Amino acid sequence: MFKAILKTHWQWTRMAVLLVAIAAFAMPLVSMTARIPLNQPRNFIANMQTWGVGYVALAAALGLAVAILAWSSDHRGHHVYAIALPVARWRYVLMRFSAGIVFLVPAVAALAVGARVAVSMFPIPQGLHAYPWALTARFGFAAVVAFAIFFAISSATARTPAYILGAIAAVFVAPFLTDAAGLQWPVVS
């Protein structure tokens, strides 16, 4: 049963996982080829901090894509397939969740390889150390957390993720809109 769920889940998520894996492999390499002089520790650290947001966004995008695609066929079929199976609902959800976790691995592995290649190809300023495995572990943890959150949200109705993502986007867009309007409302704080 798990093999069948794994196979169907792979058919739905393979393009998203492949695109994120390519981006995860390339991100460490691109971050090390910045046009600012990276031979000074201060410049190097500032450059890595600016790229740090990209790793978080990529992990969140990976978790979101895999989680939403895990439930898309069930939403289209109104969960009839899941109800018709001779398996308890909790076991079916656990198998879907496990299949999703399996498909986070290629992007995390691609980041590990890309980070290791970047560390070996590009010089790091004297006095600084590279931690590609720590970066990979944090990326993997962020992807799993994002996947778990969006998996739980996506298991509800098809409109629920849209409402929650819209609310999250509104929280991030609201400060820009209030600043543009000249209002001094501390929306986020």
Side-chain angles (χ1 to χ4, degrees):
M1 177 82 178
F2 180 68
K3 186 177 177 183
I5 288 176
L6 202 62
K7 182 180 177 186
T8 57
H9 198 114
W10 173 247
Q11 291 172 349
W12 302 326
T13 61
R14 66 179 173 229
M15 286 308 294
V17 169
L18 178 65
L19 290 173
V20 173
I22 291 169
F25 176 79
M27 191 175 286
L29 298 168
V30 172
S31 69
M32 295 292 279
T33 58
R35 296 185 189 238
I36 59 174
L38 296 178
N39 55 357
Q40 296 177 359
R42 180 177 300 168
N43 293 343
F44 186 84
I45 291 170
N47 183 46
M48 293 302 120
Q49 285 177 336
T50 57
W51 280 93
V53 176
Y55 292 107
V56 174
L58 191 63
L62 174 64
L64 174 67
V66 173
I68 287 179
L69 291 171
W71 290 106
S72 63
S73 68
D74 282 334
H75 291 312
R76 280 190 302 258
H78 302 289
H79 299 277
V80 172
Y81 174 73
I83 294 170
L85 289 174
V87 176
R89 178 77 174 161
W90 68 269
R91 180 171 268 162
Y92 176 72
V93 171
L94 184 62
M95 285 189 280
R96 274 232 193 256
F97 186 81
S98 301
I101 293 292
V102 167
F103 295 124
L104 298 177
V105 172
V108 174
L111 178 78
V113 172
R116 195 67 201 131
V117 168
V119 166
S120 65
M121 284 179 59
F122 299 101
I124 296 173
Q126 192 74 355
L128 296 179
H129 299 282
Y131 298 101
W133 304 123
L135 175 68
T136 303
R138 288 187 176 113
F139 179 82
F141 183 71
V144 168
V145 168
F147 171 73
I149 290 169
F150 288 116
F151 184 85
I153 292 169
S154 295
S155 67
T157 65
R159 292 183 183 169
T160 303
Y163 292 143
I164 292 176
L165 287 174
I168 291 170
V171 167
F172 285 113
V173 171
F176 297 113
L177 294 177
T178 57
D179 287 343
L183 302 172
Q184 298 298 324
W185 293 345
V187 177
V188 175
S189 63

